[in-house]
Amino acid sequence: MAKNTVKLLDVVALTVDIPEYNLRCGQVGTMVELLADGAAFEIEFSDRNGRTYESLGLPREKIMVLHFEPASPDIKPEIVTA
């Protein structure tokens, strides 16, 4: 799968501030719709109770997909000791 692939229901984070919507770099949202033939994505931002407080279309350059698993099953976590 390509590194830049964004899929429906992917968890993403903003890579830029969007002050006009009171959103900051690092805020987490969910991709809920593909827009403009894949050039943009509808990202929904929700609070801890699951209530949507903002939903807007964003280009790929303003978001990054968050990953919760290692990139490869062959990669073992490295333990750093002092």
Side-chain angles (χ1 to χ4, degrees):
M1 182 172 294
K3 177 183 175 186
N4 293 333
T5 301
V6 181
K7 300 183 308 298
L8 185 64
L9 302 180
D10 271 350
V11 177
V12 300
L14 287 176
T15 58
V16 296
D17 290 339
I18 307 178
E20 60 270 28
Y21 291 99
N22 202 27
L23 296 170
R24 293 186 171 212
C25 181
Q27 280 191 268
V28 176
T30 304
M31 197 284 265
V32 295
E33 188 173 347
L34 188 67
L35 304 173
D37 293 322
F41 309 92
E42 184 76 16
I43 306 298
E44 186 175 277
F45 297 90
S46 302
D47 65 17
R48 291 180 181 166
N49 296 315
R51 290 180 292 229
T52 300
Y53 59 85
E54 194 61 70
S55 184
L56 65 151
L58 295 170
R60 177 66 179 98
E61 299 78 35
K62 292 188 178 185
I63 59 172
M64 65 179 287
V65 176
L66 300 180
H67 301 279
F68 299 96
E69 300 292 332
S72 168
D74 299 330
I75 296 174
K76 303 286 187 234
E78 184 177 323
I79 298 173
V80 178
T81 59

